[in-house]
Amino acid sequence: MHPAPSVIIFTSLSGLGFGLLFWLGLGQPAPTGWVGFGFFFIAYALAVGGLMASAFHLGHPERALKAFTQWRSSWLSREAVAAVATLVTMGIYAALLVFAGIHVAPLGWIGAVGCLATVLTTSMIYAQMKTVPRWRHWSTPALFLALSLGGGALLSNNGWAALVLLTVAAVLQLVAWFTGDTRLARSGTDIGTATGLGGRGAVRQFEPPHTGTNYLLREFVHVVGRRHAQSLRVISFGLAFVLPVLVLALGLTHVTAAIAVLSHLAGVFALRWLFFAQAEHVVGFYYDKR
Amino acid sequence: MTSLPSHTDKKLGLVIDLDTCVGCHACVIACKGWNTENYGAPLADTDAYGAKPEGSFLNRVHSYEVQPETGAAQLVHFPKSCLHCDDAPCVTVCPTGASYKRVEDGIVLVNETDCIGCGLCAWACPYGAREMDPVEQVMKKCTLCVDRIYNENIPEVDRQPACVRTCPAGARHFGDLADPNSAVSQLVAERGGMDLMPEQGTKPVNKYLPPRPKDEVPEFDVLGPYLEPVAETGTGFVAWLDKTLSALPGGAK
């Protein structure tokens, strides 16, 4: 799959933003005044910034309001509804907390559940794709949630929670990689079933249908850069999990916390790039490419 | 509405004969022509006369080589367009309701004025049947020429999809696959029509007829008897000539 920067930025930033909002909604912490403003500003900048980036991915962003209508059937529509409902709920909670010093705990809990729902719906957009066997697995939503909550815990200074959740996320990431690498081969789809000719012999592409490229090849058959995937896996794993967990285990100061957050964010960006770049869409079989 | 109908009255679709298709790409061009001038946004090209031309097409012809365990390889031309699946994953993922499957005839269409161009329907399609138009930025797909098949302003003979009407080999057939007595259904039954990627669970309406087995003719050379040597050893002048020529450098031994 083509690793579009807009989608990588969107899933990474809004995942972190909603993760931070989750902890703020739980009241861990429940800051008031300027400190509270700072916390909520960062959370909203990440969450809304991510959503704005995703709008750049659209061919017709001016029609985006229509995307709120099909929540009965579409995970993308559910995500849009969940994101806006959560941001509105948490906005009211934040305004009361920051400007009036009133902590309406149940409203925060509702918002926290909304954060989980938003991240879950985002991950289900990918996990639902039968056409991308690597993504169609329980580890996709589990990893998205663990990364979001772990990153949020890191940002909200919940050291122990961050330590546990980032460790869980690291294990889930390994599960996703090791099971995902063979899932396309195990899916039963190959050039033989794609063409229906597999029973007759070995099928290979003789001539492509067009000499130039097209939308399908650009969007779904991303081969460039996979060469460096293994080294990028090691780097991203170190940045997203190992370094932050080490820093957390040694104890947080303002400086080390900043290092942990920046390292984690860089790692998540790289992980998301791999999430898309390494995902193979079955349409590639028609072009005899992965 | 992006939920799929529980039942469609008809299942209009194509039956594509892989045995007959000669790979001429006439269906590709007829499709591009009709769908650029009629229903919806035109199918755009970018850099059409430049170094990197590309464009959106609703129908493309692949070519595959099948190598059996024994015997000669076979070349199969393989036209591919939307299969108008009964369980179309492209429809249910649509966040705006722009993609829908018609109850009356099962055709899967895109309402282009509702399409936000998110591309998720193309992600969900295992067949690569949907392409984003590079100029209009809306999703384009085969309409089964919905503006031809019911069009009373054109002669009855033309009320078929443009690809079917133009195919010079008669490799494409159009009809109602829900009616077991229709010509297309009988063709599918007779020739063992198959689904593409059945394991994806999309229940495609379009069917593909597999190539017929090749005849196995015993090896026989019609010219063979006439090319047999008349005499293994000559006599007289011919024998001398044969010997002399063979003795020359490079001569046949």
Side-chain angles (χ1 to χ4, degrees):
Chain A
M1 302 290 291
H2 170 61
S6 57
V7 181
I8 294 172
I9 293 170
F10 156 58
T11 57
S12 307
L13 293 188
S14 66
L16 266 183
F18 281 106
L20 176 54
L21 278 180
F22 169 83
W23 292 103
L24 293 171
L26 286 187
Q28 301 288 335
T32 54
W34 278 110
V35 177
F37 183 82
F39 267 109
F40 281 104
F41 179 82
I42 291 170
Y44 271 81
L46 290 169
V48 178
L51 290 169
M52 298 282 281
S54 78
F56 289 115
H57 187 62
L58 300 178
H60 283 276
E62 77 281 6
R63 298 174 188 159
L65 280 180
K66 291 178 194 278
F68 291 89
T69 59
Q70 305 301 314
W71 50 271
R72 286 184 203 81
S73 51
S74 164
W75 282 107
L76 181 52
S77 187
R78 285 171 199 160
E79 183 208 30
V81 172
V84 170
T86 303
L87 289 173
V88 169
T89 308
M90 287 303 289
I92 298 167
Y93 171 77
L96 288 172
L97 193 62
V98 171
F99 300 115
I102 306 168
H103 183 206
V104 190
L107 194 60
W109 299 337
I110 294 170
V113 172
C115 291
L116 291 178
T118 306
V119 177
L120 178 71
T121 49
T122 304
S123 67
M124 285 308 293
I125 294 170
Y126 307 107
Q128 71 175 330
M129 290 290 161
K130 247 187 193 171
T131 50
V132 186
R134 186 185 283 277
W135 291 348
R136 195 174 165 80
H137 194 242
W138 60 265
S139 62
T140 301
L143 182 58
F144 269 63
L145 281 168
L147 273 173
S148 169
L149 296 184
L154 194 60
L155 283 174
S156 58
N157 200 19
N158 285 294
W160 275 106
L163 191 67
V164 172
L165 284 163
L166 287 182
T167 309
V168 169
V171 173
L172 288 169
Q173 181 65 73
L174 292 176
V175 170
W177 278 339
F178 286 116
T179 65
D181 282 349
T182 54
R183 207 169 294 124
L184 179 72
R186 286 183 282 120
S187 71
T189 299
D190 55 27
I191 192 170
T193 67
T195 59
L197 300 169
R200 316 170 73 84
V203 183
R204 73 175 184 101
Q205 178 173 248
F206 180 77
E207 188 180 42
H210 40 95
T211 49
T213 187
N214 72 345
Y215 172 76
L216 300 173
L217 288 173
R218 263 183 283 109
E219 189 78 4
F220 304 120
V221 190
H222 181 84
V223 183
V224 184
R226 281 201 197 143
R227 211 146 50 100
H228 302 295
Q230 287 306 329
S231 45
L232 199 54
R233 276 184 175 183
V234 174
I235 294 169
S236 59
F237 195 83
L239 288 173
F241 305 119
V242 179
L243 186 65
V245 165
L246 279 178
V247 169
L248 285 164
L250 294 173
L252 284 180
T253 65
H254 275 297
V255 177
T256 57
I259 291 170
V261 166
L262 289 176
S263 164
H264 177 71
L265 185 60
V268 168
F269 275 129
L271 288 176
R272 280 296 141 76
W273 187 88
L274 285 168
F275 178 75
F276 289 99
Q278 291 204 291
E280 312 92 338
H281 193 288
V282 294
V283 77
F285 285 121
Y286 285 106
Y287 288 90
D288 217 347
K289 288 179 179 167
R290 308 292 171 272
Chain B
M1 196 60 221
T2 57
S3 294
L4 287 162
S6 57
H7 167 84
T8 60
D9 300 337
K10 285 183 174 181
K11 291 183 185 179
L12 295 187
L14 301 176
V15 173
I16 294 170
D17 191 342
L18 297 179
D19 197 59
T20 312
C21 177
V22 296
C24 71
H25 293 239
C27 53
V28 178
I29 303 307
C31 168
K32 178 92 171 179
W34 179 265
N35 287 294
T36 291
E37 293 156 8
N38 294 279
Y39 179 99
L43 290 170
D45 294 314
T46 56
D47 198 22
Y49 303 99
K52 288 183 179 169
E54 66 168 277
S56 50
F57 286 77
L58 312 181
N59 178 37
R60 300 199 187 248
V61 180
H62 297 248
S63 296
Y64 299 102
E65 180 199 78
V66 187
Q67 176 63 63
E69 276 190 30
T70 55
Q74 193 176 358
L75 180 57
V76 180
H77 299 293
F78 191 95
K80 184 166 64 60
S81 54
C82 172
L83 307 172
H84 297 279
C85 301
D86 262 349
D87 204 345
C90 56
V91 170
T92 48
V93 298
C94 177
T96 68
S99 276
Y100 61 104
K101 186 171 175 70
R102 305 202 329 168
V103 180
E104 60 270 37
D105 52 18
I107 300 179
V108 177
L109 288 175
V110 176
N111 179 352
E112 290 175 3
T113 56
D114 279 354
C115 177
I116 55 173
C118 68
L120 203 60
C121 53
W123 288 28
C125 173
Y127 307 109
R130 289 171 169 248
E131 296 186 21
M132 185 88 77
D133 189 85
V135 173
E136 287 295 323
Q137 294 292 310
V138 293
M139 197 52 76
K140 300 298 294 183
K141 70 174 295 301
C142 162
T143 67
L144 217 54
C145 284
V146 69
D147 49 353
R148 285 176 71 97
I149 57 177
Y150 298 115
N151 192 339
E152 291 182 357
N153 297 317
I154 60 175
E156 203 172 338
V157 69
D158 287 331
R159 291 177 207 162
Q160 317 184 40
C163 57
V164 175
R165 184 75 183 93
T166 203
C167 179
R172 305 179 70 103
H173 308 268
F174 164 70
D176 179 11
L177 286 136
D179 173 8
N181 297 317
S182 68
V184 281
S185 294
Q186 294 194 342
L187 200 53
V188 169
E190 206 176 290
R191 296 274 307 281
M194 59 187 182
D195 289 346
L196 304 185
M197 291 187 190
E199 71 284 357
Q200 285 273 332
T202 53
K203 301 191 195 114
V205 169
N206 284 13
K207 303 287 178 211
Y208 282 76
L209 306 180
R212 294 182 178 93
K214 294 281 184 202
D215 289 343
E216 302 249 347
V217 187
E219 208 166 301
F220 174 73
D221 190 343
V222 277
L223 290 177
Y226 300 102
L227 295 173
E228 290 291 325
V230 180
E232 289 297 332
T233 49
T235 52
F237 174 71
V238 175
W240 172 82
L241 188 64
D242 184 38
K243 209 172 81 186
T244 313
L245 288 176
S246 296
L248 288 173
K253 294 286 180 284

Coordinates of all heavy atoms in Angstrom, one line a residue, chain B residues 92-160:
Chain B
T92 N -20.0 -1.3 1.2 CA -20.3 -1.1 2.6 C -19.2 -0.3 3.3 O -19.5 0.3 4.3 CB -20.3 -2.5 3.3 OG1 -19.2 -3.3 2.9 CG2 -21.6 -3.3 3.0
V93 N -18.0 -0.1 2.7 CA -17.0 0.7 3.3 C -17.2 2.2 3.0 O -16.7 3.1 3.7 CB -15.6 0.4 2.9 CG1 -15.2 -1.0 3.2 CG2 -15.4 0.6 1.4
C94 N -18.1 2.5 2.0 CA -18.3 3.9 1.6 C -18.8 4.8 2.8 O -19.9 4.4 3.3 CB -19.1 4.0 0.4 SG -19.5 5.7 -0.1
P95 N -18.1 5.8 3.2 CA -18.6 6.6 4.3 C -19.8 7.6 4.0 O -20.4 8.1 4.9 CB -17.4 7.4 4.8 CG -16.6 7.6 3.6 CD -16.8 6.3 2.7
T96 N -20.0 7.9 2.7 CA -20.9 8.9 2.3 C -22.2 8.4 1.7 O -23.2 9.1 1.5 CB -20.3 9.9 1.3 OG1 -20.1 9.2 0.1 CG2 -19.0 10.4 1.8
G97 N -22.2 7.1 1.3 CA -23.4 6.6 0.6 C -23.3 6.8 -0.9 O -24.3 6.6 -1.6
A98 N -22.2 7.2 -1.3 CA -22.0 7.5 -2.8 C -22.0 6.2 -3.6 O -22.5 6.1 -4.7 CB -20.7 8.2 -3.1
S99 N -21.4 5.1 -3.0 CA -21.4 3.8 -3.6 C -22.7 3.0 -3.3 O -23.0 3.0 -2.1 CB -20.2 3.0 -3.2 OG -19.1 3.3 -3.9
Y100 N -23.3 2.4 -4.2 CA -24.5 1.7 -3.9 C -24.7 0.6 -4.9 O -24.2 0.6 -6.0 CB -25.7 2.6 -3.8 CG -26.1 3.3 -5.1 CD1 -27.1 2.9 -5.9 CD2 -25.3 4.4 -5.5 CE1 -27.4 3.6 -7.1 CE2 -25.6 5.1 -6.7 CZ -26.7 4.7 -7.5 OH -27.0 5.3 -8.7
K101 N -25.5 -0.4 -4.5 CA -25.9 -1.5 -5.4 C -27.4 -1.4 -5.7 O -28.2 -1.4 -4.7 CB -25.5 -2.9 -4.8 CG -25.7 -4.1 -5.7 CD -25.1 -5.3 -5.1 CE -25.4 -6.6 -5.9 NZ -24.7 -6.6 -7.2
R102 N -27.8 -1.4 -6.9 CA -29.2 -1.2 -7.3 C -30.0 -2.5 -7.0 O -29.6 -3.6 -7.4 CB -29.3 -0.8 -8.7 CG -28.4 0.4 -9.1 CD -28.8 1.2 -10.3 NE -29.4 0.5 -11.4 CZ -30.0 1.2 -12.4 NH1 -30.0 2.6 -12.3 NH2 -30.5 0.6 -13.4
V103 N -31.2 -2.2 -6.4 CA -32.1 -3.4 -6.1 C -32.7 -4.0 -7.4 O -32.8 -5.2 -7.5 CB -33.2 -2.9 -5.1 CG1 -34.1 -4.0 -4.8 CG2 -32.6 -2.3 -3.9
E104 N -32.9 -3.1 -8.3 CA -33.7 -3.6 -9.5 C -32.8 -4.5 -10.4 O -33.3 -5.4 -11.0 CB -34.3 -2.5 -10.3 CG -33.3 -1.4 -10.9 CD -33.1 -0.3 -9.9 OE1 -33.0 -0.5 -8.7 OE2 -32.9 0.9 -10.4
D105 N -31.5 -4.2 -10.5 CA -30.7 -5.0 -11.5 C -29.3 -5.4 -11.0 O -28.6 -6.0 -11.7 CB -30.6 -4.3 -12.8 CG -30.1 -2.9 -12.7 OD1 -29.5 -2.6 -11.6 OD2 -30.3 -2.0 -13.6
G106 N -29.0 -5.0 -9.7 CA -27.8 -5.4 -9.1 C -26.5 -4.7 -9.6 O -25.4 -5.0 -9.2
I107 N -26.7 -3.6 -10.4 CA -25.5 -2.9 -10.9 C -25.0 -2.1 -9.7 O -25.7 -1.4 -8.9 CB -25.9 -1.9 -12.0 CG1 -26.5 -2.8 -13.2 CG2 -24.7 -1.1 -12.5 CD1 -26.9 -1.9 -14.4
V108 N -23.6 -2.1 -9.6 CA -23.0 -1.3 -8.5 C -22.5 0.1 -9.2 O -21.9 0.1 -10.2 CB -21.7 -2.0 -8.0 CG1 -21.0 -1.1 -7.0 CG2 -22.2 -3.3 -7.3
L109 N -23.0 1.2 -8.6 CA -22.7 2.5 -9.1 C -22.2 3.4 -8.1 O -22.2 3.2 -6.9 CB -24.0 3.1 -9.7 CG -24.6 2.5 -11.0 CD1 -26.0 3.1 -11.3 CD2 -23.7 2.6 -12.1
V110 N -21.6 4.5 -8.6 CA -21.1 5.6 -7.7 C -21.9 6.9 -8.0 O -22.0 7.3 -9.2 CB -19.6 5.9 -7.9 CG1 -19.1 7.0 -7.0 CG2 -18.8 4.6 -7.6
N111 N -22.5 7.5 -7.0 CA -23.1 8.8 -7.2 C -22.0 9.8 -7.0 O -21.5 10.1 -5.9 CB -24.2 9.0 -6.1 CG -24.8 10.3 -6.2 OD1 -24.4 11.2 -7.0 ND2 -25.9 10.5 -5.4
E112 N -21.5 10.3 -8.1 CA -20.3 11.1 -8.1 C -20.4 12.4 -7.3 O -19.4 13.0 -6.9 CB -19.8 11.4 -9.6 CG -19.3 10.1 -10.2 CD -18.9 10.3 -11.7 OE1 -19.0 11.4 -12.2 OE2 -18.6 9.3 -12.3
T113 N -21.6 12.9 -7.2 CA -21.8 14.2 -6.5 C -21.7 14.0 -4.9 O -21.5 14.9 -4.2 CB -23.1 14.9 -6.8 OG1 -24.2 14.0 -6.5 CG2 -23.2 15.3 -8.2
D114 N -21.8 12.7 -4.5 CA -21.6 12.4 -3.1 C -20.2 11.9 -2.7 O -19.9 11.7 -1.6 CB -22.6 11.3 -2.6 CG -24.0 12.0 -2.4 OD1 -24.1 13.2 -2.4 OD2 -24.9 11.2 -2.1
C115 N -19.4 11.6 -3.8 CA -18.1 11.0 -3.5 C -17.1 12.0 -3.0 O -16.9 13.0 -3.6 CB -17.6 10.3 -4.8 SG -15.9 9.6 -4.7
I116 N -16.4 11.7 -1.9 CA -15.4 12.6 -1.4 C -14.0 12.2 -1.8 O -13.1 12.9 -1.4 CB -15.5 12.7 0.2 CG1 -15.3 11.3 0.8 CG2 -16.7 13.3 0.7 CD1 -15.2 11.3 2.3
G117 N -13.9 11.1 -2.6 CA -12.6 10.8 -3.1 C -11.7 10.2 -2.1 O -10.5 10.5 -2.2
C118 N -12.2 9.5 -1.1 CA -11.3 9.0 0.0 C -10.6 7.7 -0.5 O -9.5 7.4 0.0 CB -12.1 8.7 1.2 SG -13.3 7.3 1.1
G119 N -11.1 7.1 -1.5 CA -10.4 5.9 -2.1 C -10.6 4.6 -1.4 O -10.1 3.6 -1.8
L120 N -11.4 4.6 -0.3 CA -11.5 3.4 0.5 C -12.2 2.3 -0.2 O -11.9 1.1 0.0 CB -12.3 3.7 1.8 CG -12.0 2.8 3.0 CD1 -10.6 2.8 3.4 CD2 -12.9 3.2 4.2
C121 N -13.1 2.6 -1.1 CA -13.8 1.5 -1.9 C -12.8 0.8 -2.8 O -12.9 -0.4 -3.0 CB -14.9 2.1 -2.7 SG -14.5 3.5 -3.8
A122 N -11.8 1.6 -3.3 CA -10.8 0.9 -4.2 C -9.9 0.0 -3.3 O -9.5 -1.0 -3.8 CB -10.0 2.0 -4.9
W123 N -9.7 0.4 -2.1 CA -8.9 -0.4 -1.1 C -9.7 -1.7 -0.9 O -9.1 -2.8 -0.8 CB -8.8 0.2 0.2 CG -7.8 1.4 0.3 CD1 -7.5 2.2 -0.7 CD2 -7.1 1.8 1.4 NE1 -6.6 3.2 -0.2 CE2 -6.4 3.0 1.1 CE3 -7.0 1.4 2.8 CZ2 -5.6 3.7 2.0 CZ3 -6.2 2.0 3.7 CH2 -5.5 3.2 3.3
A124 N -11.0 -1.7 -0.8 CA -11.8 -2.8 -0.4 C -12.0 -3.8 -1.6 O -12.3 -4.9 -1.4 CB -13.1 -2.4 0.1
C125 N -11.8 -3.3 -2.8 CA -12.0 -4.2 -4.0 C -10.8 -5.0 -4.3 O -9.7 -4.5 -4.5 CB -12.4 -3.3 -5.2 SG -12.5 -4.3 -6.7
P126 N -11.0 -6.4 -4.2 CA -9.8 -7.2 -4.5 C -9.4 -7.2 -6.0 O -8.3 -7.7 -6.3 CB -10.3 -8.6 -4.1 CG -11.7 -8.6 -4.1 CD -12.2 -7.1 -3.9
Y127 N -10.3 -6.8 -6.9 CA -10.1 -6.9 -8.3 C -9.5 -5.7 -9.0 O -9.2 -5.7 -10.2 CB -11.4 -7.2 -9.0 CG -12.1 -8.4 -8.3 CD1 -13.3 -8.2 -7.6 CD2 -11.6 -9.7 -8.4 CE1 -13.9 -9.3 -6.9 CE2 -12.3 -10.8 -7.8 CZ -13.4 -10.6 -7.1 OH -14.0 -11.6 -6.5
G128 N -9.3 -4.6 -8.3 CA -8.8 -3.4 -8.9 C -9.8 -2.8 -9.9 O -9.4 -2.3 -11.0
A129 N -11.1 -2.9 -9.6 CA -12.1 -2.5 -10.6 C -12.4 -1.0 -10.5 O -13.1 -0.5 -11.3 CB -13.4 -3.3 -10.3
R130 N -11.9 -0.4 -9.4 CA -12.2 1.0 -9.2 C -10.9 1.9 -9.4 O -9.9 1.5 -8.8 CB -12.8 1.3 -7.9 CG -14.2 0.7 -7.7 CD -14.7 0.8 -6.3 NE -16.1 0.5 -6.2 CZ -17.0 1.4 -5.9 NH1 -16.7 2.6 -5.5 NH2 -18.3 1.0 -5.8
E131 N -11.0 2.9 -10.1 CA -9.9 3.8 -10.3 C -10.3 5.3 -10.0 O -11.4 5.7 -10.5 CB -9.3 3.7 -11.7 CG -8.7 2.3 -11.9 CD -7.9 2.2 -13.3 OE1 -7.5 3.3 -13.8 OE2 -7.8 1.1 -13.7
M132 N -9.5 6.0 -9.3 CA -9.8 7.4 -9.0 C -9.5 8.2 -10.3 O -8.4 8.1 -10.8 CB -8.9 7.9 -7.8 CG -9.2 9.3 -7.4 SD -10.4 9.3 -6.1 CE -9.5 8.8 -4.7
D133 N -10.4 9.1 -10.6 CA -10.2 9.9 -11.8 C -9.2 11.0 -11.4 O -9.3 11.7 -10.4 CB -11.5 10.6 -12.3 CG -11.2 11.2 -13.6 OD1 -11.3 10.6 -14.6 OD2 -10.9 12.4 -13.6
P134 N -8.1 11.1 -12.2 CA -7.0 12.0 -11.8 C -7.4 13.5 -11.9 O -6.7 14.3 -11.3 CB -5.9 11.7 -12.8 CG -6.6 11.0 -14.0 CD -7.8 10.3 -13.5
V135 N -8.4 13.8 -12.7 CA -8.8 15.2 -12.8 C -10.0 15.5 -11.9 O -10.0 16.5 -11.1 CB -9.1 15.5 -14.3 CG1 -9.7 16.9 -14.4 CG2 -7.8 15.4 -15.1
E136 N -11.0 14.7 -12.0 CA -12.2 15.0 -11.2 C -12.1 14.6 -9.7 O -12.9 15.0 -8.9 CB -13.4 14.2 -11.8 CG -13.9 14.8 -13.1 CD -14.5 16.2 -12.9 OE1 -15.2 16.5 -11.9 OE2 -14.3 17.1 -13.8
Q137 N -11.1 13.7 -9.4 CA -10.9 13.2 -8.0 C -12.2 12.6 -7.4 O -12.5 12.8 -6.3 CB -10.4 14.4 -7.1 CG -9.1 14.9 -7.5 CD -8.0 13.9 -7.2 OE1 -7.9 13.3 -6.1 NE2 -7.1 13.6 -8.2
V138 N -12.9 11.9 -8.3 CA -14.0 11.0 -7.8 C -13.7 9.6 -8.3 O -13.0 9.4 -9.3 CB -15.4 11.5 -8.3 CG1 -15.7 12.8 -7.7 CG2 -15.5 11.5 -9.8
M139 N -14.3 8.6 -7.6 CA -14.1 7.2 -8.0 C -14.9 6.9 -9.2 O -16.1 7.1 -9.3 CB -14.5 6.3 -6.8 CG -13.9 5.0 -6.8 SD -12.1 4.9 -7.1 CE -11.5 5.4 -5.5
K140 N -14.2 6.2 -10.1 CA -14.8 5.8 -11.4 C -14.8 4.3 -11.4 O -13.9 3.6 -10.9 CB -14.0 6.2 -12.6 CG -13.8 7.7 -12.7 CD -15.1 8.5 -12.9 CE -15.8 8.2 -14.2 NZ -17.1 9.0 -14.4
K141 N -15.9 3.7 -11.9 CA -16.0 2.3 -12.1 C -17.0 1.9 -13.2 O -17.8 2.8 -13.6 CB -16.5 1.6 -10.8 CG -17.9 1.9 -10.4 CD -18.4 1.2 -9.2 CE -18.4 -0.3 -9.5 NZ -19.3 -0.7 -10.6
C142 N -17.0 0.7 -13.6 CA -17.9 0.2 -14.6 C -19.3 0.4 -14.2 O -19.7 0.0 -13.1 CB -17.6 -1.3 -14.9 SG -18.9 -2.2 -15.7
T143 N -20.1 0.9 -15.1 CA -21.5 1.1 -14.8 C -22.4 0.1 -15.5 O -23.6 0.2 -15.5 CB -22.0 2.5 -15.3 OG1 -21.9 2.5 -16.7 CG2 -21.1 3.6 -14.7
L144 N -21.7 -0.9 -16.1 CA -22.4 -1.8 -17.0 C -23.1 -1.1 -18.1 O -24.1 -1.5 -18.7 CB -23.3 -2.7 -16.3 CG -23.4 -4.2 -16.7 CD1 -22.0 -4.9 -16.7 CD2 -24.3 -5.0 -15.8
C145 N -22.6 0.1 -18.5 CA -23.2 1.0 -19.4 C -24.7 1.2 -19.2 O -25.5 1.0 -20.1 CB -22.9 0.5 -20.9 SG -21.3 0.9 -21.4
V146 N -25.0 1.6 -17.9 CA -26.4 1.7 -17.5 C -27.1 2.8 -18.4 O -28.3 2.7 -18.5 CB -26.4 2.1 -16.0 CG1 -25.9 3.5 -15.8 CG2 -27.8 2.0 -15.4
D147 N -26.3 3.6 -19.1 CA -26.9 4.6 -20.0 C -27.1 4.1 -21.4 O -27.4 4.9 -22.3 CB -26.1 5.9 -19.9 CG -24.6 5.7 -20.1 OD1 -24.2 4.5 -20.1 OD2 -23.9 6.7 -20.2
R148 N -26.7 2.9 -21.6 CA -26.9 2.3 -22.9 C -28.0 1.2 -22.9 O -28.9 1.1 -23.7 CB -25.7 1.5 -23.4 CG -24.6 2.4 -24.0 CD -23.3 1.6 -24.3 NE -23.6 0.8 -25.5 CZ -23.2 1.1 -26.7 NH1 -22.5 2.3 -26.9 NH2 -23.4 0.4 -27.8
I149 N -27.9 0.3 -21.8 CA -28.7 -0.9 -21.8 C -30.2 -0.6 -21.7 O -31.1 -1.4 -22.0 CB -28.3 -1.9 -20.7 CG1 -28.3 -1.2 -19.3 CG2 -26.9 -2.4 -21.0 CD1 -27.9 -2.2 -18.2
Y150 N -30.6 0.6 -21.1 CA -32.0 0.9 -21.0 C -32.4 2.1 -21.9 O -33.4 2.7 -21.8 CB -32.3 1.4 -19.5 CG -32.1 0.3 -18.5 CD1 -31.2 0.4 -17.5 CD2 -32.9 -0.9 -18.5 CE1 -31.0 -0.6 -16.6 CE2 -32.7 -1.9 -17.6 CZ -31.7 -1.7 -16.6 OH -31.6 -2.7 -15.7
N151 N -31.4 2.5 -22.8 CA -31.6 3.7 -23.6 C -32.5 3.5 -24.8 O -32.0 2.8 -25.8 CB -30.2 4.2 -24.0 CG -30.2 5.6 -24.6 OD1 -31.2 6.1 -25.0 ND2 -29.1 6.2 -24.5
E152 N -33.6 4.0 -24.8 CA -34.6 3.8 -25.9 C -34.3 4.7 -27.1 O -35.0 4.7 -28.1 CB -36.0 4.0 -25.4 CG -36.3 2.8 -24.5 CD -37.8 2.8 -24.0 OE1 -38.5 3.8 -24.3 OE2 -38.1 1.9 -23.3
N153 N -33.3 5.6 -27.0 CA -33.0 6.5 -28.1 C -31.9 5.9 -29.0 O -31.6 6.5 -30.0 CB -32.4 7.8 -27.5 CG -33.4 8.6 -26.7 OD1 -34.6 8.6 -27.1 ND2 -33.0 9.1 -25.5
I154 N -31.4 4.7 -28.7 CA -30.4 4.1 -29.5 C -31.1 2.8 -30.0 O -32.0 2.2 -29.4 CB -29.1 3.8 -28.8 CG1 -29.2 2.9 -27.6 CG2 -28.4 5.1 -28.5 CD1 -27.9 2.6 -26.9
P155 N -30.6 2.3 -31.2 CA -31.2 1.0 -31.7 C -31.1 -0.1 -30.7 O -30.1 -0.1 -30.0 CB -30.4 0.8 -33.0 CG -29.7 2.1 -33.3 CD -29.6 2.8 -32.1
E156 N -32.0 -1.0 -30.8 CA -32.1 -2.1 -29.8 C -30.8 -2.9 -29.8 O -30.3 -3.4 -28.7 CB -33.3 -3.0 -30.1 CG -33.7 -3.7 -28.8 CD -35.0 -4.5 -29.0 OE1 -35.8 -4.2 -29.9 OE2 -35.2 -5.4 -28.2
V157 N -30.2 -3.1 -31.0 CA -29.0 -3.9 -31.1 C -27.8 -3.3 -30.3 O -26.9 -4.0 -29.8 CB -28.6 -4.1 -32.5 CG1 -28.1 -2.8 -33.2 CG2 -27.5 -5.2 -32.7
D158 N -27.9 -2.0 -30.0 CA -26.8 -1.3 -29.3 C -27.1 -1.2 -27.8 O -26.3 -0.6 -27.1 CB -26.7 0.2 -29.8 CG -26.0 0.2 -31.2 OD1 -25.2 -0.7 -31.5 OD2 -26.4 1.1 -32.0
R159 N -28.2 -1.8 -27.3 CA -28.5 -1.7 -25.9 C -27.8 -2.7 -25.1 O -28.4 -3.6 -24.5 CB -30.0 -1.7 -25.7 CG -30.7 -0.5 -26.2 CD -32.2 -0.5 -26.1 NE -32.9 0.3 -27.1 CZ -34.1 0.2 -27.4 NH1 -34.9 -0.7 -26.9 NH2 -34.6 1.0 -28.4
Q160 N -26.5 -2.7 -25.2 CA -25.6 -3.6 -24.5 C -24.4 -2.8 -24.0 O -24.2 -1.7 -24.6 CB -25.1 -4.7 -25.3 CG -26.0 -5.4 -26.3 CD -25.3 -6.5 -27.0 OE1 -24.5 -7.2 -26.4 NE2 -25.5 -6.6 -28.3

